[in-house]
Amino acid sequence: MSLLELRDVTRTVIPPDQPALTILNGVDLTVEPGDRISIVGRSGSGKSTLLNLLGLLDMPTSGLLTFDDRPVKSYSGAARDRVRGAQIGFVFQQFNLLPGRTALENVAMPLLYAEGRSFWRRKQLAAEMLQEVGLGDRMESMPDRLSGGEQQRVAIARSLVRGPRLILADEPTGALDLDTGSSVMQLIDEVATRTGAALVTITHDPAIAARARDHFRLDRGVLTRADSDELAAASEAIS
Protein backbone atom coordinates (compact mmCIF):
# COMPACT_ATOMS: atom_id res chain seq x y z
CA MET A 1 0.00 0.00 0.00
CA SER A 2 1.41 3.37 -1.04
CA LEU A 3 1.66 6.10 1.56
CA LEU A 4 1.15 8.90 -0.95
CA GLU A 5 0.54 8.78 -4.69
CA LEU A 6 0.06 11.33 -7.45
CA ARG A 7 -1.20 10.18 -10.85
CA ASP A 8 -1.32 12.60 -13.80
CA VAL A 9 -1.75 15.50 -11.38
CA THR A 10 -2.09 19.06 -12.63
CA ARG A 11 -2.39 22.29 -10.72
CA THR A 12 -3.74 25.35 -12.48
CA VAL A 13 -4.38 28.82 -11.08
CA ILE A 14 -6.16 31.78 -12.59
CA PRO A 15 -4.46 35.09 -11.76
CA PRO A 16 -6.66 38.21 -11.76
CA ASP A 17 -7.28 39.50 -15.28
CA GLN A 18 -4.90 36.92 -16.76
CA PRO A 19 -5.27 33.58 -18.53
CA ALA A 20 -5.07 30.33 -16.57
CA LEU A 21 -1.56 29.33 -15.55
CA THR A 22 -0.62 25.64 -15.34
CA ILE A 23 2.00 25.24 -12.60
CA LEU A 24 2.16 21.42 -12.48
CA ASN A 25 1.51 19.28 -15.53
CA GLY A 26 0.95 15.51 -15.49
CA VAL A 27 2.92 14.78 -12.32
CA ASP A 28 3.34 11.11 -11.34
CA LEU A 29 4.97 10.26 -8.00
CA THR A 30 4.66 7.38 -5.55
CA VAL A 31 5.94 7.65 -1.97
CA GLU A 32 6.24 4.40 -0.04
CA PRO A 33 6.89 4.08 3.71
CA GLY A 34 10.60 4.56 4.37
CA ASP A 35 11.35 6.14 0.98
CA ARG A 36 14.12 8.74 0.58
CA ILE A 37 13.26 11.05 -2.31
CA SER A 38 14.90 14.27 -3.47
CA ILE A 39 13.40 16.79 -5.89
CA VAL A 40 15.48 19.53 -7.48
CA GLY A 41 14.22 22.45 -9.51
CA ARG A 42 14.99 26.08 -10.22
CA SER A 43 12.91 28.96 -8.87
CA GLY A 44 9.49 29.02 -10.54
CA SER A 45 9.56 25.34 -11.48
CA GLY A 46 6.58 24.50 -9.25
CA LYS A 47 8.40 23.13 -6.20
CA SER A 48 6.32 25.02 -3.65
CA THR A 49 3.10 24.03 -5.39
CA LEU A 50 4.17 20.38 -5.41
CA LEU A 51 5.09 20.58 -1.72
CA ASN A 52 1.64 21.96 -0.93
CA LEU A 53 0.03 19.02 -2.71
CA LEU A 54 2.27 16.47 -0.98
CA GLY A 55 1.41 18.08 2.36
CA LEU A 56 -2.34 18.02 1.62
CA LEU A 57 -2.43 21.82 1.84
CA ASP A 58 -3.80 22.16 -1.69
CA MET A 59 -5.85 19.97 -4.00
CA PRO A 60 -4.96 19.10 -7.60
CA THR A 61 -6.92 20.70 -10.41
CA SER A 62 -7.06 17.30 -12.12
CA GLY A 63 -5.57 13.86 -11.68
CA LEU A 64 -5.52 11.58 -8.66
CA LEU A 65 -3.93 12.27 -5.26
CA THR A 66 -4.21 9.51 -2.67
CA PHE A 67 -3.06 9.09 0.93
CA ASP A 68 -3.06 5.50 2.23
CA ASP A 69 -4.67 4.52 -1.10
CA ARG A 70 -7.66 6.74 -0.35
CA PRO A 71 -8.41 9.63 -2.74
CA VAL A 72 -7.70 12.85 -0.89
CA LYS A 73 -10.72 14.49 -2.55
CA SER A 74 -12.89 12.15 -0.46
CA TYR A 75 -11.56 13.71 2.76
CA SER A 76 -13.35 16.68 4.28
CA GLY A 77 -11.26 19.75 4.95
CA ALA A 78 -11.23 18.92 8.67
CA ALA A 79 -10.16 15.34 7.96
CA ARG A 80 -7.30 16.57 5.78
CA ASP A 81 -6.21 18.87 8.60
CA ARG A 82 -6.21 15.95 11.05
CA VAL A 83 -4.18 13.73 8.72
CA ARG A 84 -1.69 16.52 8.07
CA GLY A 85 -1.29 17.35 11.75
CA ALA A 86 -0.84 13.75 12.87
CA GLN A 87 1.00 12.12 9.97
CA ILE A 88 2.94 14.77 8.03
CA GLY A 89 5.90 16.75 9.39
CA PHE A 90 7.26 19.87 7.67
CA VAL A 91 10.85 21.12 7.92
CA PHE A 92 11.35 24.51 6.27
CA GLN A 93 14.35 26.71 5.51
CA GLN A 94 12.99 29.33 7.90
CA PHE A 95 12.79 27.98 11.42
CA ASN A 96 9.48 29.73 12.28
CA LEU A 97 10.00 29.36 16.03
CA LEU A 98 7.80 31.34 18.39
CA PRO A 99 10.12 34.00 19.84
CA GLY A 100 8.48 34.23 23.26
CA ARG A 101 8.55 30.48 23.91
CA THR A 102 11.31 28.19 25.11
CA ALA A 103 12.65 25.37 22.95
CA LEU A 104 10.55 22.95 25.00
CA GLU A 105 7.39 25.01 24.53
CA ASN A 106 8.01 25.33 20.78
CA VAL A 107 8.37 21.58 20.37
CA ALA A 108 5.32 20.85 22.54
CA MET A 109 3.13 23.21 20.51
CA PRO A 110 1.86 20.64 17.94
CA LEU A 111 0.81 18.32 20.77
CA LEU A 112 -1.74 20.87 21.95
CA TYR A 113 -3.85 19.52 19.07
CA ALA A 114 -3.20 15.86 19.90
CA GLU A 115 -5.62 13.58 21.73
CA GLY A 116 -5.40 11.31 24.74
CA ARG A 117 -2.00 10.42 26.18
CA SER A 118 -0.09 12.49 23.63
CA PHE A 119 -1.84 15.63 24.82
CA TRP A 120 -1.34 14.98 28.51
CA ARG A 121 2.29 13.87 28.04
CA ARG A 122 3.18 16.70 25.66
CA LYS A 123 5.99 18.15 27.80
CA GLN A 124 7.56 14.75 28.34
CA LEU A 125 7.32 13.90 24.63
CA ALA A 126 8.78 17.28 23.68
CA ALA A 127 11.65 16.80 26.12
CA GLU A 128 12.37 13.33 24.72
CA MET A 129 12.39 14.73 21.18
CA LEU A 130 14.81 17.50 22.14
CA GLN A 131 17.06 14.86 23.67
CA GLU A 132 16.81 12.97 20.39
CA VAL A 133 18.13 15.95 18.42
CA GLY A 134 20.92 16.65 20.90
CA LEU A 135 19.39 19.62 22.71
CA GLY A 136 18.60 18.10 26.06
CA ASP A 137 20.57 20.87 27.75
CA ARG A 138 18.84 23.70 25.83
CA MET A 139 15.20 23.01 26.63
CA GLU A 140 14.61 26.24 28.53
CA SER A 141 16.50 28.43 26.04
CA MET A 142 14.68 31.07 24.00
CA PRO A 143 15.17 30.97 20.21
CA ASP A 144 17.30 34.14 20.20
CA ARG A 145 19.77 32.40 22.51
CA LEU A 146 20.25 29.49 20.09
CA SER A 147 22.54 29.24 17.07
CA GLY A 148 21.11 28.74 13.59
CA GLY A 149 21.85 25.03 13.71
CA GLU A 150 20.25 24.72 17.15
CA GLN A 151 17.16 26.58 15.98
CA GLN A 152 16.83 24.23 13.03
CA ARG A 153 17.15 21.26 15.40
CA VAL A 154 14.31 22.67 17.50
CA ALA A 155 12.25 23.08 14.32
CA ILE A 156 13.03 19.47 13.37
CA ALA A 157 12.05 18.24 16.83
CA ARG A 158 8.78 20.17 16.55
CA SER A 159 8.03 18.64 13.14
CA LEU A 160 8.74 15.10 14.33
CA VAL A 161 7.27 15.13 17.84
CA ARG A 162 3.97 13.59 16.70
CA GLY A 163 5.73 10.74 14.91
CA PRO A 164 4.76 11.60 11.32
CA ARG A 165 4.81 8.93 8.62
CA LEU A 166 5.87 11.48 6.00
CA ILE A 167 8.50 14.21 6.42
CA LEU A 168 8.57 17.03 3.86
CA ALA A 169 11.80 19.03 3.96
CA ASP A 170 11.78 22.26 1.92
CA GLU A 171 15.34 23.60 1.52
CA PRO A 172 15.97 22.55 5.15
CA THR A 173 19.63 23.62 5.13
CA GLY A 174 19.27 26.81 3.10
CA ALA A 175 19.88 29.07 6.11
CA LEU A 176 22.80 27.05 7.47
CA ASP A 177 26.50 26.78 6.69
CA LEU A 178 27.77 23.69 4.86
CA ASP A 179 28.93 21.67 7.88
CA THR A 180 25.87 22.49 9.98
CA GLY A 181 23.58 21.73 7.05
CA SER A 182 25.18 18.34 6.53
CA SER A 183 24.79 17.40 10.20
CA VAL A 184 21.16 18.57 10.19
CA MET A 185 20.35 16.41 7.15
CA GLN A 186 22.05 13.44 8.77
CA LEU A 187 19.93 14.02 11.86
CA ILE A 188 16.68 14.16 9.85
CA ASP A 189 17.62 10.97 8.01
CA GLU A 190 18.56 9.14 11.22
CA VAL A 191 15.29 10.05 12.94
CA ALA A 192 13.28 9.13 9.84
CA THR A 193 15.06 5.78 9.70
CA ARG A 194 14.31 5.01 13.34
CA THR A 195 10.64 5.89 12.96
CA GLY A 196 10.18 4.34 9.50
CA ALA A 197 8.99 7.64 8.02
CA ALA A 198 9.29 8.53 4.35
CA LEU A 199 11.42 11.60 3.65
CA VAL A 200 10.92 13.89 0.64
CA THR A 201 13.51 16.66 0.35
CA ILE A 202 13.17 19.62 -2.01
CA THR A 203 16.53 21.29 -2.51
CA HIS A 204 18.89 22.97 -4.96
CA ASP A 205 21.95 21.55 -3.19
CA PRO A 206 23.42 18.54 -5.07
CA ALA A 207 25.09 17.20 -1.91
CA ILE A 208 21.78 17.24 -0.04
CA ALA A 209 19.88 15.74 -2.98
CA ALA A 210 22.44 12.97 -3.36
CA ARG A 211 21.62 11.67 0.14
CA ALA A 212 18.30 10.35 -1.18
CA ARG A 213 17.85 7.00 -2.91
CA ASP A 214 15.46 8.27 -5.60
CA HIS A 215 16.06 11.54 -7.42
CA PHE A 216 13.65 13.67 -9.43
CA ARG A 217 13.88 16.90 -11.37
CA LEU A 218 11.03 19.40 -11.64
CA ASP A 219 11.23 21.67 -14.66
CA ARG A 220 8.40 23.96 -15.78
CA GLY A 221 5.88 21.89 -13.88
CA VAL A 222 6.99 18.52 -15.27
CA LEU A 223 8.48 15.96 -12.88
CA THR A 224 10.97 13.44 -14.28
CA ARG A 225 13.25 10.88 -12.71
CA ALA A 226 16.91 11.90 -12.72
CA ASP A 227 20.07 9.82 -12.51
CA SER A 228 23.17 11.06 -10.69
CA ASP A 229 24.64 12.84 -13.72
CA GLU A 230 21.35 14.58 -14.52
CA LEU A 231 20.98 15.57 -10.88
CA ALA A 232 24.42 17.14 -10.82
CA ALA A 233 23.73 18.98 -14.09
CA ALA A 234 20.36 20.24 -12.89
CA SER A 235 21.82 21.39 -9.58
CA GLU A 236 24.68 23.17 -11.38
CA ALA A 237 22.20 24.96 -13.64
CA ILE A 238 20.11 26.01 -10.63
CA SER A 239 23.10 27.41 -8.78
Side-chain angles (χ1 to χ4, degrees), residues 1-236:
M1 181 174 69
S2 298
L3 175 59
L4 186 69
E5 189 169 15
L6 289 76
R7 284 288 169 260
D8 199 23
V9 162
T10 68
R11 176 70 176 172
T12 300
V13 298
I14 304 177
D17 302 321
Q18 296 184 37
L21 177 63
T22 298
I23 301 176
L24 296 176
N25 189 7
V27 170
D28 293 325
L29 181 66
T30 300
V31 182
E32 305 284 359
D35 270 354
R36 297 291 182 273
I37 294 172
S38 67
I39 299 171
V40 297
R42 66 178 71 245
S43 177
S45 63
K47 299 194 305 296
S48 295
T49 300
L50 179 57
L51 182 81
N52 286 344
L53 290 176
L54 296 175
L56 310 187
L57 291 164
D58 288 334
M59 296 290 288
T61 303
S62 65
L64 180 65
L65 171 62
T66 65
F67 192 91
D68 276 343
D69 287 342
R70 176 181 171 184
V72 173
K73 66 180 181 181
S74 69
Y75 288 78
S76 67
R80 277 206 323 274
D81 291 344
R82 287 194 295 271
V83 169
R84 186 187 316 111
Q87 303 196 49
I88 301 177
F90 295 85
V91 181
F92 297 106
Q93 177 178 343
Q94 301 303 320
F95 315 131
N96 298 320
L97 301 180
L98 297 175
R101 305 283 184 174
T102 65
L104 181 68
E105 290 169 331
N106 267 280
V107 176
M109 192 66 63
L111 296 171
L112 291 173
Y113 306 97
E115 298 178 350
R117 286 172 55 84
S118 293
F119 174 81
W120 296 110
R121 297 178 61 240
R122 59 190 182 277
K123 288 187 177 181
Q124 179 184 343
L125 293 172
E128 291 172 356
M129 197 68 241
L130 282 168
Q131 291 279 4
E132 182 88 2
V133 301
L135 291 179
D137 60 341
R138 304 290 270 157
M139 294 187 191
E140 298 305 320
S141 297
M142 294 292 181
D144 63 355
R145 307 303 297 174
L146 300 172
S147 69
E150 288 173 333
Q151 289 184 57
Q152 185 61 295
R153 286 171 180 261
V154 174
I156 291 168
R158 182 182 58 190
S159 72
L160 302 182
V161 72
R162 294 191 71 174
R165 298 166 61 207
L166 172 64
I167 302 169
L168 300 175
D170 183 15
E171 300 286 3
T173 64
L176 305 173
D177 62 68
L178 183 62
D179 289 341
T180 303
S182 179
S183 66
V184 162
M185 280 307 304
Q186 182 175 345
L187 172 65
I188 296 174
D189 189 65
E190 288 174 352
V191 174
T193 297
R194 279 196 290 273
T195 62
L199 172 60
V200 179
T201 304
I202 294 178
T203 181
H204 70 278
D205 187 332
I208 298 301
R211 299 180 68 96
R213 292 191 291 266
D214 294 305
H215 311 117
F216 293 85
R217 179 182 180 184
L218 187 63
D219 184 21
R220 298 180 183 179
V222 177
L223 186 71
T224 56
R225 188 175 289 274
D227 60 27
S228 299
D229 291 339
E230 291 171 329
L231 177 64
S235 300
E236 185 175 320

